Amino acid sequence: MIPSKKNAVLVDGVVLNGPTTDAKAGEKFVEEACRLIMEEVVLKATDVNEKVCEWRPPEQLKQLLDLEMRDSGEPPHRLLELCRDVIRYSVKTNHPRFFNQLYAGLDYYSLVARFMTEALNPSVYTYEVSPVFLLVEEAVLKKMIEFIGWKEGDGIFNPGGSVSNMYAMNLARYKYCPDIKEKGLSGSPRLILFTSAECHYSMKKAASFLGIGTENVCFVETDGRGKMIPEELEKQVWQARKEGAAPFLVCATSGTTVLGAFDPLDEIADICERHNLWLHVDDLLKKCYCAKASYLFQQDKFYDVSYDTGDKSIQCSRRPDAFKFWMTWKALGTSGLEERVNRALALSRYLVDEIKKREGFKLLLEPEYANICFWYIPPSLREMEEGPEFWAKLNLVAPAIKERMMKKGSLMLGYQPHRGKVNFFRQVVISPQVSREDMDFLLDEIDLLGKDM
């Protein structure tokens, strides 16, 4: 006798009939949340009349936000209130006056792409579960390889530059000592790598994580503009060989984090060729990382398994980040992307010219890229001789102005000391929403916040 569909089926006291989620309530919540995101993030957060941030110290913010997870769930209207609070007290990185980090702005096309991937929830490891996004990634990588000028190449999208640097280091080590993949480090020589003294801190982290050791990262001296000095690189390579170490990698930098300097790649490449060193160019991804997981990468599938690219990655689950870039590229075209870059560089040059004109502002150096590093010298220090006392007092200015701008919510701009230079501001134009008016506001606001110091 076939049981009625209405009859409850219980296993361990749990009713298995039908879904447990309320689809209609869920769909309504998604609809209302999307409306809230549109109003409070997409529209309001890009308005220069709104605050960049609503600063609260940690303990106060804990009181303002309902962070407690409870035994019973909360109703949709309460969840929407929480969403509104999250948006209110979060930093609006898409605000035209957010200059704090090396990311900023709102790209409408990549935002839609992100909505789609979050809704579809793919993982880019095999073609069978992620057919569209694997083809998208392949198309983007192919186009990027063409732009570099290579006839062939390989790659994957990673969560960020830090992970990419770790990939590069591991690939170089695999090229030099392929047995390490299976036999480990016990029988390997003392491996040495070389990078700029201005490199990203992730190089030391990668050396630590991979078991190479931070003491085996040789930092090559840079010139006054922050570029690696090729002659110093070659000296260090010879010195490492003399000490019995095994040089295996040079990691150059195109656009350093602080100064935006570009290492002389051609001269560095010549040195790498003479000494048979790997220069951060990879095409061994699959050989280096493949683990041949039989539950994912079966070789007898009914389609071309070369599209199952997940074995190139140290990750298993991987987000389809290439899709965001692809969507923007499709929307703007290559010329549109080029125009964005040109505009950012033009705005940077405008800001440099304004800094030179204004009393109380001083460049660290003429920028090579979109990184503009400068001091604000308040009126009380402008007549003081540039000695130890002057620099000690100037060191306190940028942090104090940063505190004021954060509490006011008018602007966010990063600062740091760097290689003997006291605290200075670093401004980088990235957001497509930034205008000439925002450049003027940046300098006006710093002067307003700091003129009484």
Side-chain angles (χ1 to χ4, degrees), residues 286-299:
K286 195 157 188 177
K287 288 183 180 179
C288 181
Y289 292 109
C290 72
K292 300 180 180 177
S294 59
Y295 70 97
L296 286 175
F297 306 113
Q298 304 93 333
Q299 297 302 297

Side-chain angles (χ1 to χ4, degrees), residues 7 26 30 46 71 84 178 224-225 279 341 347 402-403 415 452:
N7 292 343
V30 170
T46 57
D71 290 339
R84 192 177 295 276
R225 298 192 59 80
L279 176 59
V341 174
L347 282 167
K402 177 64 178 284
E403 179 183 355
Y415 73 88
D452 65 338

Side-chain angles (χ1 to χ4, degrees), residues 359-376:
E359 186 180 11
F361 290 87
K362 182 178 180 181
L363 287 170
L364 253 73
L365 75 169
E366 286 288 336
E368 181 178 10
Y369 193 45
N371 302 44
I372 302 155
C373 301
F374 64 93
W375 286 290
Y376 173 72

Side-chain angles (χ1 to χ4, degrees), residues 195-213:
T195 188
S196 163
E198 298 275 348
C199 76
H200 193 263
Y201 69 92
S202 61
M203 295 304 295
K204 287 183 73 173
K205 284 193 171 185
S208 173
F209 185 83
L210 294 172
I212 292 168

Side-chain angles (χ1 to χ4, degrees), residues 161-171 202 206 209-210 289 314:
S162 293
V163 174
S164 296
N165 282 336
M166 186 181 72
Y167 269 94
M169 195 177 293
N170 202 34
L171 286 162
S202 61
F209 185 83
L210 294 172
Y289 292 109
I314 58 171

